[in-house]
Amino acid sequence: MSPSQESILSEYEADTSQTSKLIRKFKEMPFVPIGMAGFTAVVGYGLYKLKHRGGMKMSLHLIHMRVAAQGFAVGALTCGVLYSMFREYVVKPKE
């Protein structure tokens, strides 16, 4: 193997813990954890409000919460894609 391949492999092997991989991915795509946190918050709020839904049917309440949670997750992913496109095409790093 060439020295450049050995350095890549040793770097990959040194970065094998799940938390370090997760932190690295969060740094590369910061909107993914925001989407996950928002999805969890909407689901938690929906479960909390499940008791106090008034006269609304449970199925209708669950549909509203599902749509809100999916909307938050899709919105965060869309912002992430736009952010990465902005970084790649507008703010081109010097090569």
Side-chain angles (χ1 to χ4, degrees), residues 4 9 18 21 28 32 38 40 45 61-62 70 85 88:
S4 63
L9 290 176
Q18 292 296 331
K21 286 181 184 178
E28 290 174 5
V32 172
T40 305
Y45 178 75
H61 176 76
L62 293 176
Q70 282 180 328
M85 287 174 62
E88 187 174 333

Side-chain angles (χ1 to χ4, degrees), residues 6-86:
E6 290 176 6
S7 65
I8 292 172
L9 290 176
S10 63
E11 181 181 321
Y12 178 74
E13 291 170 356
D15 192 26
T16 56
S17 73
Q18 292 296 331
T19 54
S20 62
K21 286 181 184 178
L22 192 62
I23 290 170
R24 182 175 45 106
K25 286 291 184 183
F26 285 172
K27 287 180 182 177
E28 290 174 5
M29 294 176 268
F31 286 94
V32 172
I34 293 170
M36 290 172 23
F39 179 85
T40 305
V42 169
V43 169
Y45 178 75
L47 290 175
Y48 173 75
K49 285 294 188 177
L50 191 61
K51 278 184 157 179
H52 310 290
R53 66 183 184 274
M56 186 186 296
K57 289 184 177 181
M58 182 185 282
S59 61
L60 187 59
H61 176 76
L62 293 176
I63 288 171
H64 287 171
M65 289 300 109
R66 178 185 64 87
V67 169
Q70 282 180 328
F72 196 94
V74 169
L77 288 173
T78 303
C79 289
V81 167
L82 292 173
Y83 174 72
S84 66
M85 287 174 62
F86 177 75

